[in-house]
PDB file of all heavy atoms in Angstrom:
ATOM      1  N   ARG A 129      -5.878  -0.628   7.224  1.00 95.00           N
ATOM      2  CA  ARG A 129      -6.047  -0.529   5.623  1.00 95.00           C
ATOM      3  C   ARG A 129      -4.980  -1.248   5.053  1.00 95.00           C
ATOM      4  O   ARG A 129      -3.847  -1.046   5.246  1.00 95.00           O
ATOM      5  CB  ARG A 129      -6.161   0.819   5.194  1.00 95.00           C
ATOM      6  CG  ARG A 129      -6.224   1.043   3.723  1.00 95.00           C
ATOM      7  CD  ARG A 129      -6.471   2.579   3.386  1.00 95.00           C
ATOM      8  NE  ARG A 129      -7.842   2.897   3.896  1.00 95.00           N
ATOM      9  CZ  ARG A 129      -8.244   4.170   4.106  1.00 95.00           C
ATOM     10  NH1 ARG A 129      -7.377   5.203   3.802  1.00 95.00           N
ATOM     11  NH2 ARG A 129      -9.428   4.421   4.599  1.00 95.00           N
ATOM     12  N   LEU A 130      -5.384  -2.115   3.998  1.00 94.00           N
ATOM     13  CA  LEU A 130      -4.506  -2.803   3.193  1.00 94.00           C
ATOM     14  C   LEU A 130      -4.863  -2.353   1.734  1.00 94.00           C
ATOM     15  O   LEU A 130      -5.960  -2.432   1.365  1.00 94.00           O
ATOM     16  CB  LEU A 130      -4.591  -4.387   3.242  1.00 94.00           C
ATOM     17  CG  LEU A 130      -3.727  -5.204   2.493  1.00 94.00           C
ATOM     18  CD1 LEU A 130      -3.347  -6.515   3.231  1.00 94.00           C
ATOM     19  CD2 LEU A 130      -4.202  -5.449   1.088  1.00 94.00           C
ATOM     20  N   ALA A 131      -3.763  -1.745   1.040  1.00 93.00           N
ATOM     21  CA  ALA A 131      -3.973  -1.268  -0.257  1.00 93.00           C
ATOM     22  C   ALA A 131      -2.972  -2.014  -1.115  1.00 93.00           C
ATOM     23  O   ALA A 131      -1.930  -2.390  -0.900  1.00 93.00           O
ATOM     24  CB  ALA A 131      -3.631   0.159  -0.332  1.00 93.00           C
ATOM     25  N   TYR A 132      -3.602  -2.290  -2.390  1.00 93.00           N
ATOM     26  CA  TYR A 132      -2.881  -3.194  -3.368  1.00 93.00           C
ATOM     27  C   TYR A 132      -3.118  -2.618  -4.759  1.00 93.00           C
ATOM     28  O   TYR A 132      -4.270  -2.288  -5.112  1.00 93.00           O
ATOM     29  CB  TYR A 132      -3.284  -4.594  -3.256  1.00 93.00           C
ATOM     30  CG  TYR A 132      -2.654  -5.447  -4.308  1.00 93.00           C
ATOM     31  CD1 TYR A 132      -1.271  -5.840  -4.464  1.00 93.00           C
ATOM     32  CD2 TYR A 132      -3.493  -6.080  -5.312  1.00 93.00           C
ATOM     33  CE1 TYR A 132      -0.812  -6.631  -5.378  1.00 93.00           C
ATOM     34  CE2 TYR A 132      -2.942  -6.890  -6.297  1.00 93.00           C
ATOM     35  CZ  TYR A 132      -1.589  -7.147  -6.392  1.00 93.00           C
ATOM     36  OH  TYR A 132      -1.122  -7.850  -7.307  1.00 93.00           O
ATOM     37  N   ASP A 133      -2.102  -2.442  -5.569  1.00 91.00           N
ATOM     38  CA  ASP A 133      -2.303  -2.049  -6.980  1.00 91.00           C
ATOM     39  C   ASP A 133      -1.306  -2.980  -7.842  1.00 91.00           C
ATOM     40  O   ASP A 133      -0.244  -2.728  -7.828  1.00 91.00           O
ATOM     41  CB  ASP A 133      -1.944  -0.561  -7.160  1.00 91.00           C
ATOM     42  CG  ASP A 133      -2.247   0.025  -8.429  1.00 91.00           C
ATOM     43  OD1 ASP A 133      -2.598  -0.725  -9.383  1.00 91.00           O
ATOM     44  OD2 ASP A 133      -2.233   1.215  -8.634  1.00 91.00           O
ATOM     45  N   PRO A 134      -1.840  -3.869  -8.647  1.00 91.00           N
ATOM     46  CA  PRO A 134      -1.077  -4.660  -9.401  1.00 91.00           C
ATOM     47  C   PRO A 134      -0.296  -4.028 -10.599  1.00 91.00           C
ATOM     48  O   PRO A 134       0.669  -4.486 -11.149  1.00 91.00           O
ATOM     49  CB  PRO A 134      -2.040  -5.632 -10.018  1.00 91.00           C
ATOM     50  CG  PRO A 134      -3.349  -5.017 -10.008  1.00 91.00           C
ATOM     51  CD  PRO A 134      -3.448  -4.114  -8.794  1.00 91.00           C
ATOM     52  N   MET A 135      -0.620  -2.718 -10.871  1.00 88.00           N
ATOM     53  CA  MET A 135      -0.049  -2.070 -11.887  1.00 88.00           C
ATOM     54  C   MET A 135       1.227  -1.375 -11.506  1.00 88.00           C
ATOM     55  O   MET A 135       2.003  -0.824 -12.358  1.00 88.00           O
ATOM     56  CB  MET A 135      -1.048  -0.918 -12.524  1.00 88.00           C
ATOM     57  CG  MET A 135      -2.259  -1.635 -13.107  1.00 88.00           C
ATOM     58  SD  MET A 135      -2.108  -2.813 -14.314  1.00 88.00           S
ATOM     59  CE  MET A 135      -1.389  -1.960 -15.730  1.00 88.00           C
ATOM     60  N   VAL A 136       1.510  -1.390 -10.265  1.00 84.00           N
ATOM     61  CA  VAL A 136       2.677  -0.699  -9.743  1.00 84.00           C
ATOM     62  C   VAL A 136       3.839  -1.794  -9.753  1.00 84.00           C
ATOM     63  O   VAL A 136       3.596  -2.919  -9.314  1.00 84.00           O
ATOM     64  CB  VAL A 136       2.513  -0.128  -8.355  1.00 84.00           C
ATOM     65  CG1 VAL A 136       3.829   0.356  -7.750  1.00 84.00           C
ATOM     66  CG2 VAL A 136       1.546   0.983  -8.286  1.00 84.00           C
ATOM     67  N   PRO A 137       5.038  -1.497 -10.343  1.00 81.00           N
ATOM     68  CA  PRO A 137       6.120  -2.552 -10.383  1.00 81.00           C
ATOM     69  C   PRO A 137       6.362  -2.952  -8.933  1.00 81.00           C
ATOM     70  O   PRO A 137       6.569  -2.124  -8.028  1.00 81.00           O
ATOM     71  CB  PRO A 137       7.288  -1.760 -10.978  1.00 81.00           C
ATOM     72  CG  PRO A 137       6.673  -0.663 -11.851  1.00 81.00           C
ATOM     73  CD  PRO A 137       5.480  -0.239 -11.022  1.00 81.00           C
ATOM     74  N   ASP A 138       6.632  -4.259  -8.770  1.00 72.00           N
ATOM     75  CA  ASP A 138       6.943  -4.852  -7.467  1.00 72.00           C
ATOM     76  C   ASP A 138       8.532  -4.752  -7.126  1.00 72.00           C
ATOM     77  O   ASP A 138       9.159  -5.624  -7.146  1.00 72.00           O
ATOM     78  CB  ASP A 138       6.498  -6.235  -7.430  1.00 72.00           C
ATOM     79  CG  ASP A 138       6.611  -6.909  -5.927  1.00 72.00           C
ATOM     80  OD1 ASP A 138       6.804  -5.929  -5.076  1.00 72.00           O
ATOM     81  OD2 ASP A 138       6.563  -8.082  -5.881  1.00 72.00           O
ATOM     82  N   THR A 139       8.890  -3.507  -7.037  1.00 61.00           N
ATOM     83  CA  THR A 139      10.339  -3.201  -6.845  1.00 61.00           C
ATOM     84  C   THR A 139      10.540  -2.719  -5.371  1.00 61.00           C
ATOM     85  O   THR A 139      11.694  -2.693  -4.911  1.00 61.00           O
ATOM     86  CB  THR A 139      10.917  -2.143  -7.765  1.00 61.00           C
ATOM     87  OG1 THR A 139      10.087  -0.960  -7.649  1.00 61.00           O
ATOM     88  CG2 THR A 139      10.747  -2.612  -9.106  1.00 61.00           C
ATOM     89  N   THR A 140       9.568  -2.372  -4.764  1.00 52.00           N
ATOM     90  CA  THR A 140       9.765  -1.731  -3.362  1.00 52.00           C
ATOM     91  C   THR A 140       9.328  -2.694  -2.185  1.00 52.00           C
ATOM     92  O   THR A 140       9.417  -2.437  -1.060  1.00 52.00           O
ATOM     93  CB  THR A 140       8.963  -0.413  -3.107  1.00 52.00           C
ATOM     94  OG1 THR A 140       7.567  -0.658  -3.459  1.00 52.00           O
ATOM     95  CG2 THR A 140       9.551   0.620  -4.169  1.00 52.00           C
ATOM     96  N   GLY A 141       8.748  -3.890  -2.621  1.00 49.00           N
ATOM     97  CA  GLY A 141       8.381  -4.781  -1.632  1.00 49.00           C
ATOM     98  C   GLY A 141       7.103  -4.343  -0.913  1.00 49.00           C
ATOM     99  O   GLY A 141       6.255  -3.586  -1.397  1.00 49.00           O
ATOM    100  N   THR A 142       6.890  -4.733   0.334  1.00 46.00           N
ATOM    101  CA  THR A 142       5.814  -4.322   1.137  1.00 46.00           C
ATOM    102  C   THR A 142       6.130  -3.189   2.098  1.00 46.00           C
ATOM    103  O   THR A 142       7.200  -3.326   2.727  1.00 46.00           O
ATOM    104  CB  THR A 142       5.216  -5.497   1.999  1.00 46.00           C
ATOM    105  OG1 THR A 142       4.921  -6.576   0.998  1.00 46.00           O
ATOM    106  CG2 THR A 142       4.064  -5.110   2.755  1.00 46.00           C
ATOM    107  N   SER A 143       5.287  -2.283   2.147  1.00 45.00           N
ATOM    108  CA  SER A 143       5.548  -1.164   3.128  1.00 45.00           C
ATOM    109  C   SER A 143       4.539  -1.038   4.182  1.00 45.00           C
ATOM    110  O   SER A 143       3.374  -1.386   3.932  1.00 45.00           O
ATOM    111  CB  SER A 143       5.566   0.269   2.306  1.00 45.00           C
ATOM    112  OG  SER A 143       5.609   1.295   3.250  1.00 45.00           O
ATOM    113  N   THR A 144       4.907  -0.786   5.408  1.00 40.00           N
ATOM    114  CA  THR A 144       4.061  -0.557   6.513  1.00 40.00           C
ATOM    115  C   THR A 144       3.866   0.965   6.817  1.00 40.00           C
ATOM    116  O   THR A 144       3.304   1.256   7.779  1.00 40.00           O
ATOM    117  CB  THR A 144       4.610  -1.239   7.844  1.00 40.00           C
ATOM    118  OG1 THR A 144       6.010  -0.743   8.019  1.00 40.00           O
ATOM    119  CG2 THR A 144       4.624  -2.744   7.591  1.00 40.00           C
ATOM    120  N   ALA A 145       4.435   1.795   5.918  1.00 38.00           N
ATOM    121  CA  ALA A 145       4.297   3.205   6.105  1.00 38.00           C
ATOM    122  C   ALA A 145       2.898   3.646   5.710  1.00 38.00           C
ATOM    123  O   ALA A 145       2.204   2.977   4.947  1.00 38.00           O
ATOM    124  CB  ALA A 145       5.326   3.997   5.375  1.00 38.00           C
ATOM    125  N   THR A 146       2.484   4.799   6.276  1.00 38.00           N
ATOM    126  CA  THR A 146       1.212   5.394   6.041  1.00 38.00           C
ATOM    127  C   THR A 146       1.153   5.688   4.397  1.00 38.00           C
ATOM    128  O   THR A 146       2.000   6.454   3.872  1.00 38.00           O
ATOM    129  CB  THR A 146       1.054   6.617   6.756  1.00 38.00           C
ATOM    130  OG1 THR A 146       1.009   6.286   8.092  1.00 38.00           O
ATOM    131  CG2 THR A 146      -0.343   7.247   6.435  1.00 38.00           C
ATOM    132  N   ALA A 147       0.212   5.149   3.663  1.00 42.00           N
ATOM    133  CA  ALA A 147       0.144   5.291   2.346  1.00 42.00           C
ATOM    134  C   ALA A 147      -1.266   5.561   1.845  1.00 42.00           C
ATOM    135  O   ALA A 147      -2.257   4.963   2.266  1.00 42.00           O
ATOM    136  CB  ALA A 147       0.732   4.150   1.623  1.00 42.00           C
ATOM    137  N   PRO A 148      -1.582   6.568   0.987  1.00 47.00           N
ATOM    138  CA  PRO A 148      -2.910   6.782   0.582  1.00 47.00           C
ATOM    139  C   PRO A 148      -3.429   5.794  -0.482  1.00 47.00           C
ATOM    140  O   PRO A 148      -2.689   4.999  -0.923  1.00 47.00           O
ATOM    141  CB  PRO A 148      -2.790   8.161  -0.133  1.00 47.00           C
ATOM    142  CG  PRO A 148      -1.420   8.064  -0.610  1.00 47.00           C
ATOM    143  CD  PRO A 148      -0.494   7.415   0.298  1.00 47.00           C
ATOM    144  N   PHE A 149      -4.709   5.803  -0.685  1.00 60.00           N
ATOM    145  CA  PHE A 149      -5.256   4.895  -1.673  1.00 60.00           C
ATOM    146  C   PHE A 149      -4.659   5.280  -3.047  1.00 60.00           C
ATOM    147  O   PHE A 149      -4.671   6.339  -3.456  1.00 60.00           O
ATOM    148  CB  PHE A 149      -6.804   5.312  -1.692  1.00 60.00           C
ATOM    149  CG  PHE A 149      -7.582   4.231  -2.542  1.00 60.00           C
ATOM    150  CD1 PHE A 149      -7.293   3.060  -2.786  1.00 60.00           C
ATOM    151  CD2 PHE A 149      -8.882   4.739  -2.926  1.00 60.00           C
ATOM    152  CE1 PHE A 149      -7.947   2.164  -3.479  1.00 60.00           C
ATOM    153  CE2 PHE A 149      -9.667   3.716  -3.715  1.00 60.00           C
ATOM    154  CZ  PHE A 149      -9.167   2.437  -3.932  1.00 60.00           C
ATOM    155  N   GLY A 150      -4.168   4.237  -3.680  1.00 50.00           N
ATOM    156  CA  GLY A 150      -3.483   4.493  -4.966  1.00 50.00           C
ATOM    157  C   GLY A 150      -2.012   4.851  -4.648  1.00 50.00           C
ATOM    158  O   GLY A 150      -1.527   5.683  -5.260  1.00 50.00           O
ATOM    159  N   SER A 151      -1.434   4.080  -3.684  1.00 58.00           N
ATOM    160  CA  SER A 151      -0.030   4.414  -3.400  1.00 58.00           C
ATOM    161  C   SER A 151       0.878   4.084  -4.510  1.00 58.00           C
ATOM    162  O   SER A 151       0.592   3.391  -5.396  1.00 58.00           O
ATOM    163  CB  SER A 151       0.384   3.528  -2.098  1.00 58.00           C
ATOM    164  OG  SER A 151       1.690   3.606  -1.930  1.00 58.00           O
ATOM    165  N   ALA A 152       2.178   4.646  -4.424  1.00 66.00           N
ATOM    166  CA  ALA A 152       3.161   4.378  -5.332  1.00 66.00           C
ATOM    167  C   ALA A 152       3.818   3.063  -5.169  1.00 66.00           C
ATOM    168  O   ALA A 152       4.687   2.607  -5.797  1.00 66.00           O
ATOM    169  CB  ALA A 152       4.279   5.433  -5.280  1.00 66.00           C
ATOM    170  N   GLN A 153       3.325   2.314  -4.154  1.00 79.00           N
ATOM    171  CA  GLN A 153       3.852   0.975  -3.800  1.00 79.00           C
ATOM    172  C   GLN A 153       2.681  -0.080  -4.098  1.00 79.00           C
ATOM    173  O   GLN A 153       1.491   0.166  -3.980  1.00 79.00           O
ATOM    174  CB  GLN A 153       4.228   0.891  -2.331  1.00 79.00           C
ATOM    175  CG  GLN A 153       5.328   1.747  -2.008  1.00 79.00           C
ATOM    176  CD  GLN A 153       5.517   1.885  -0.523  1.00 79.00           C
ATOM    177  OE1 GLN A 153       4.663   1.853   0.168  1.00 79.00           O
ATOM    178  NE2 GLN A 153       6.767   2.177  -0.041  1.00 79.00           N
ATOM    179  N   ARG A 154       3.122  -1.278  -4.493  1.00 86.00           N
ATOM    180  CA  ARG A 154       2.261  -2.367  -4.932  1.00 86.00           C
ATOM    181  C   ARG A 154       1.434  -2.771  -3.707  1.00 86.00           C
ATOM    182  O   ARG A 154       0.114  -2.869  -3.918  1.00 86.00           O
ATOM    183  CB  ARG A 154       2.812  -3.536  -5.529  1.00 86.00           C
ATOM    184  CG  ARG A 154       2.002  -4.735  -5.773  1.00 86.00           C
ATOM    185  CD  ARG A 154       2.725  -5.807  -6.546  1.00 86.00           C
ATOM    186  NE  ARG A 154       2.919  -5.473  -7.964  1.00 86.00           N
ATOM    187  CZ  ARG A 154       3.191  -6.315  -8.913  1.00 86.00           C
ATOM    188  NH1 ARG A 154       3.440  -7.626  -8.606  1.00 86.00           N
ATOM    189  NH2 ARG A 154       3.345  -5.948 -10.196  1.00 86.00           N
ATOM    190  N   LEU A 155       1.977  -3.006  -2.683  1.00 90.00           N
ATOM    191  CA  LEU A 155       1.360  -3.589  -1.441  1.00 90.00           C
ATOM    192  C   LEU A 155       1.613  -2.655  -0.247  1.00 90.00           C
ATOM    193  O   LEU A 155       2.816  -2.461  -0.035  1.00 90.00           O
ATOM    194  CB  LEU A 155       1.587  -4.972  -1.211  1.00 90.00           C
ATOM    195  CG  LEU A 155       0.930  -5.609  -0.019  1.00 90.00           C
ATOM    196  CD1 LEU A 155      -0.627  -5.677  -0.266  1.00 90.00           C
ATOM    197  CD2 LEU A 155       1.367  -7.076   0.191  1.00 90.00           C
ATOM    198  N   SER A 156       0.720  -2.105   0.465  1.00 89.00           N
ATOM    199  CA  SER A 156       1.062  -1.156   1.567  1.00 89.00           C
ATOM    200  C   SER A 156       0.098  -1.461   2.642  1.00 89.00           C
ATOM    201  O   SER A 156      -1.154  -1.819   2.540  1.00 89.00           O
ATOM    202  CB  SER A 156       0.997   0.271   1.171  1.00 89.00           C
ATOM    203  OG  SER A 156      -0.351   0.594   0.777  1.00 89.00           O
ATOM    204  N   LEU A 157       0.545  -1.340   3.849  1.00 92.00           N
ATOM    205  CA  LEU A 157      -0.240  -1.357   5.124  1.00 92.00           C
ATOM    206  C   LEU A 157      -0.323  -0.098   5.821  1.00 92.00           C
ATOM    207  O   LEU A 157       0.715   0.521   5.914  1.00 92.00           O
ATOM    208  CB  LEU A 157       0.158  -2.625   6.094  1.00 92.00           C
ATOM    209  CG  LEU A 157       0.418  -3.908   5.393  1.00 92.00           C
ATOM    210  CD1 LEU A 157       1.081  -4.805   6.322  1.00 92.00           C
ATOM    211  CD2 LEU A 157      -0.819  -4.498   4.816  1.00 92.00           C
ATOM    212  N   SER A 158      -1.433   0.368   6.343  1.00 92.00           N
ATOM    213  CA  SER A 158      -1.497   1.564   7.059  1.00 92.00           C
ATOM    214  C   SER A 158      -2.542   1.449   8.233  1.00 92.00           C
ATOM    215  O   SER A 158      -3.421   0.572   8.188  1.00 92.00           O
ATOM    216  CB  SER A 158      -1.836   2.676   6.188  1.00 92.00           C
ATOM    217  OG  SER A 158      -3.063   2.500   5.524  1.00 92.00           O
ATOM    218  N   LEU A 159      -2.452   2.215   9.157  1.00 95.00           N
ATOM    219  CA  LEU A 159      -3.311   2.332  10.329  1.00 95.00           C
ATOM    220  C   LEU A 159      -4.066   3.617  10.299  1.00 95.00           C
ATOM    221  O   LEU A 159      -3.397   4.644  10.423  1.00 95.00           O
ATOM    222  CB  LEU A 159      -2.483   2.122  11.673  1.00 95.00           C
ATOM    223  CG  LEU A 159      -3.364   2.180  12.878  1.00 95.00           C
ATOM    224  CD1 LEU A 159      -4.196   0.867  12.971  1.00 95.00           C
ATOM    225  CD2 LEU A 159      -2.463   2.308  14.214  1.00 95.00           C
ATOM    226  N   ASP A 160      -5.381   3.543  10.004  1.00 95.00           N
ATOM    227  CA  ASP A 160      -6.153   4.757   9.824  1.00 95.00           C
ATOM    228  C   ASP A 160      -6.531   5.304  11.139  1.00 95.00           C
ATOM    229  O   ASP A 160      -6.421   6.528  11.370  1.00 95.00           O
ATOM    230  CB  ASP A 160      -7.360   4.449   8.903  1.00 95.00           C
ATOM    231  CG  ASP A 160      -8.220   5.640   8.652  1.00 95.00           C
ATOM    232  OD1 ASP A 160      -7.770   6.743   8.356  1.00 95.00           O
ATOM    233  OD2 ASP A 160      -9.519   5.505   9.006  1.00 95.00           O
ATOM    234  N   GLN A 161      -7.109   4.410  12.081  1.00 97.00           N
ATOM    235  CA  GLN A 161      -7.631   4.908  13.318  1.00 97.00           C
ATOM    236  C   GLN A 161      -7.231   3.902  14.429  1.00 97.00           C
ATOM    237  O   GLN A 161      -7.199   2.600  14.113  1.00 97.00           O
ATOM    238  CB  GLN A 161      -9.105   5.058  13.383  1.00 97.00           C
ATOM    239  CG  GLN A 161      -9.538   6.173  12.420  1.00 97.00           C
ATOM    240  CD  GLN A 161     -11.043   6.353  12.359  1.00 97.00           C
ATOM    241  OE1 GLN A 161     -11.629   6.634  13.389  1.00 97.00           O
ATOM    242  NE2 GLN A 161     -11.687   6.102  11.264  1.00 97.00           N
ATOM    243  N   LEU A 162      -6.913   4.297  15.565  1.00 98.00           N
ATOM    244  CA  LEU A 162      -6.687   3.419  16.736  1.00 98.00           C
ATOM    245  C   LEU A 162      -6.851   4.235  17.995  1.00 98.00           C
ATOM    246  O   LEU A 162      -5.846   4.894  18.388  1.00 98.00           O
ATOM    247  CB  LEU A 162      -5.301   2.761  16.659  1.00 98.00           C
ATOM    248  CG  LEU A 162      -5.001   1.811  17.837  1.00 98.00           C
ATOM    249  CD1 LEU A 162      -5.901   0.584  17.802  1.00 98.00           C
ATOM    250  CD2 LEU A 162      -3.501   1.334  17.828  1.00 98.00           C
TER     251      LEU A 162
END
């Protein structure tokens, strides 16, 4: 899953941590199933 929210300030960069839909980070990557 790749999640992106342009309304979140780009202060934390990109995160690879597990993040829900509507994360507090602008761009986040997560692995839902494997």
Side-chain angles (χ1 to χ4, degrees):
R129 173 169 299 163
L130 186 148
Y132 173 71
D133 189 345
M135 303 303 294
V136 175
D138 191 15
T139 58
T140 57
T142 302
S143 170
T144 57
T146 299
F149 191 22
S151 168
Q153 296 166 331
R154 172 173 286 194
L155 183 64
S156 62
L157 306 175
S158 59
L159 184 65
D160 179 53
Q161 300 178 60
L162 182 64

